[in-house]
Amino acid sequence: MLTAEKKYTLDDLYIGMTAKTEQLSEIYNKYMILLYDDMDSREGKLVYCKDTQDKDYDGWFMQPKPITPIFNDKDELEDMAVYDE
């Protein structure tokens, strides 16, 4: 039986925590980066979580390990809403 993955909230986050991309899908308007040990890893370590992109954010793209940048835009999500008339 499959169990649902815990979805994290902003209050749950801390640098160095281990998470999967889908567990961060309900955190909006934060720039986050997950760092993986290798290409086959499903969980990564949260190494960046801020309101803006800065030199630290850009620096993560220059190192050799795989990363996943994450930004869930709340406004874009709301624009995708479909209404029946």
Side-chain angles (χ1 to χ4, degrees), residues 1-2 4-6 8 14 19 24-25 27 36 45-46 48-49 53 57 72-74 78-79:
M1 181 169 137
L2 292 175
E5 296 273 346
K6 174 180 173 40
Y8 291 114
Y14 61 91
L24 304 175
S25 64
I27 298 171
Y36 300 93
K45 181 169 51 170
L46 185 66
Y48 187 92
C49 181
Q53 297 174 357
Y57 181 86
N72 302 309
D73 189 335
K74 184 75 167 180
E78 290 171 357
D79 286 345

Side-chain angles (χ1 to χ4, degrees), residues 17-46:
M17 71 181 286
T18 302
K20 295 179 181 177
T21 304
E22 54 270 13
Q23 292 177 296
L24 304 175
S25 64
E26 295 178 5
I27 298 171
Y28 300 103
N29 301 331
K30 287 284 184 188
Y31 292 93
M32 299 174 279
I33 295 178
L34 289 179
L35 175 71
Y36 300 93
D37 289 329
D38 57 56
M39 294 297 284
D40 296 326
S41 297
R42 289 200 19 92
E43 289 187 330
K45 181 169 51 170
L46 185 66

Side-chain angles (χ1 to χ4, degrees), residues 71-85:
F71 183 80
N72 302 309
D73 189 335
K74 184 75 167 180
D75 293 333
E76 185 177 303
L77 178 69
E78 290 171 357
D79 286 345
M80 293 174 49
V82 176
Y83 301 96
D84 283 339
E85 292 187 28

Side-chain angles (χ1 to χ4, degrees), residues 48-63:
Y48 187 92
C49 181
K50 293 185 182 177
D51 293 331
T52 60
Q53 297 174 357
D54 57 17
K55 286 195 300 186
D56 292 334
Y57 181 86
D58 294 340
W60 284 107
F61 291 85
M62 301 303 182
Q63 53 79 46

